[in-house]
Amino acid sequence: MRFTRRDYCVCTEVRNWDLEQAAEKLKCRVRFLEDNLATLPHQKLGRSVAFCDCELRLIQGLFSVLPELPDDVLPGREPVTQQAPVAALAAIKPSATRRRSAVG
């Protein structure tokens, strides 16, 4: 899904953070942001990179981990159902044997 700035930004005040400030707010290394910049929401201002609070919130959401919890922990949540495997195990056949090449 491709977002435009209006789709996700709810900032009422323009406040941009540079790489070091964003890393500090996210409690991660600057190198992580630099290495993953192509896949993270950010602003490109010339050669400078900036993040608003909404972009930091999106980044945090991308890397949030929620373990499997019992249904009574989060009321109103639909129970997770397992999807059927694509191919039945009985339908899987071994690959053909390989011929050994003579070393000479």
Side-chain angles (χ1 to χ4, degrees):
M1 176 179 234
R2 188 135 170 99
F3 285 108
T4 65
R5 183 148 180 82
R6 278 180 291 187
D7 291 335
Y8 69 82
C9 189
V10 294
C11 294
T12 56
E13 175 184 329
V14 176
R15 186 161 196 174
N16 288 334
W17 309 101
D18 63 20
L19 279 168
E20 290 79 17
Q21 293 167 324
E24 185 177 329
K25 287 183 73 110
L26 290 169
K27 304 292 187 222
C28 69
R29 297 178 191 266
V30 174
R31 179 70 190 258
F32 170 80
L33 294 176
E34 291 171 337
D35 290 349
N36 294 290
L37 201 56
T39 61
L40 299 175
H42 66 283
Q43 302 164 47
K44 193 78 169 174
L45 308 167
R47 291 188 177 174
S48 301
V49 174
F51 301 88
C52 73
D53 287 322
C54 292
E55 289 157 344
L56 296 180
R57 217 174 354 268
L58 285 172
I59 293 169
Q60 187 177 28
L62 288 170
F63 294 95
S64 294
V65 177
L66 184 63
E68 190 63 36
L69 299 172
D71 292 332
D72 60 343
V73 174
L74 296 174
R77 189 180 98 176
E78 292 292 323
V80 177
T81 57
Q82 295 281 338
Q83 291 183 347
V86 176
L89 189 56
I92 299 174
K93 306 248 190 275
S95 63
T97 59
R98 291 190 224 173
R99 290 184 172 185
R100 290 187 142 203
S101 59
V103 178

